[in-house]
């Protein structure tokens, strides 16, 4: 089972534990939103992932079926949070992708998200022996 979990817990193209050794867990909850041609937003559902549950991906795919080069970089948010030693963050990400082959239109799908990080206990440095 542990091997299976390792395969499903990746960020920056490497295992989560190697990318963020200072973290014991990371939980991401998000709601996917679509905007139609008359500027009406509609939810596509709520989702969650977490390291402790065995599924965590650093990138969340855009939910528009025709979106190209889109998606949401959760790993960058986690990286910024670790650098600033934050425990929680909420926000909105807009998809950077586009729709269409010839006439390209920006994808305006978005997610609202919450990221909660649990840090490993820091061990104090050992005092030198005299």
């Amino acid at each position: 089972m542990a091997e299976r979990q390792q395969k499903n817990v990746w960020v920056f193209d490497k295992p989560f534990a190697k990318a963020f050794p200072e973290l014991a867990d990371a939980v991401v909850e998000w709601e996917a939103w679509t905007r139609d041609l008359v500027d009406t937003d509609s939810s596509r559902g709520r989702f969650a992932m977490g390291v402790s549950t065995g599924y965590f991906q650093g990138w969340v795919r855009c939910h528009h079926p025709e979106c190209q080069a889109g998606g949401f970089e959760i790993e960058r948010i986690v990286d910024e949070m670790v650098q600033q030693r934050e425990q929680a963050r909420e926000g909105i990400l807009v998809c950077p992708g586009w729709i269409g082959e010839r006439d390209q239109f920006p994808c305006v799908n978005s997610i609202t998200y919450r990221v909660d990080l649990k840090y490993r206990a820091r061990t104090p440095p050992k005092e030198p022996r005299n």
Side-chain angles (χ1 to χ4, degrees):
M1 177 94 167
E3 186 177 331
R4 182 176 175 267
Q5 287 180 340
Q6 279 297 94
K7 290 181 181 178
N8 292 321
V9 183
W10 285 76
V11 293
F12 297 119
D13 294 325
K14 58 182 148 186
F16 187 92
K18 285 190 177 190
F20 298 111
E22 59 273 86
L23 292 179
D25 196 8
V27 176
V28 180
E29 297 173 334
W30 72 96
E31 186 169 6
W33 293 90
T34 298
R35 178 168 285 169
D36 63 21
L37 295 174
V38 291
D39 246 8
T40 303
D41 289 331
S42 60
S43 174
R44 293 292 182 198
R46 292 180 176 269
F47 307 91
M49 63 182 167
V51 172
S52 63
T53 62
Y55 177 73
F56 190 98
Q57 300 295 303
W59 179 81
V60 172
R61 188 175 78 76
C62 178
H63 45 280
H64 191 291
E66 297 176 34
C67 181
Q68 298 179 48
F72 307 96
E73 293 181 282
I74 301 301
E75 60 197 6
R76 301 272 181 221
I77 293 169
V78 173
D79 189 43
E80 287 176 12
M81 290 175 68
V82 168
Q83 289 177 24
Q84 297 173 19
R85 202 76 182 159
E86 290 179 66
Q87 291 183 333
R89 184 186 285 189
E90 294 180 351
I92 299 171
L93 294 174
V94 177
C95 181
W98 65 88
I99 310 296
E101 291 288 330
R102 192 165 185 201
D103 297 326
Q104 296 178 351
F105 298 97
C107 180
V108 293
N109 286 344
S110 62
I111 62 170
T112 55
Y113 68 87
R114 178 174 174 89
V115 177
D116 290 298
L117 302 181
K118 182 178 178 186
Y119 291 86
R120 295 187 187 281
R122 290 185 177 181
T123 55
K126 294 182 180 180
E127 294 191 24
R129 292 185 164 170
N130 291 337

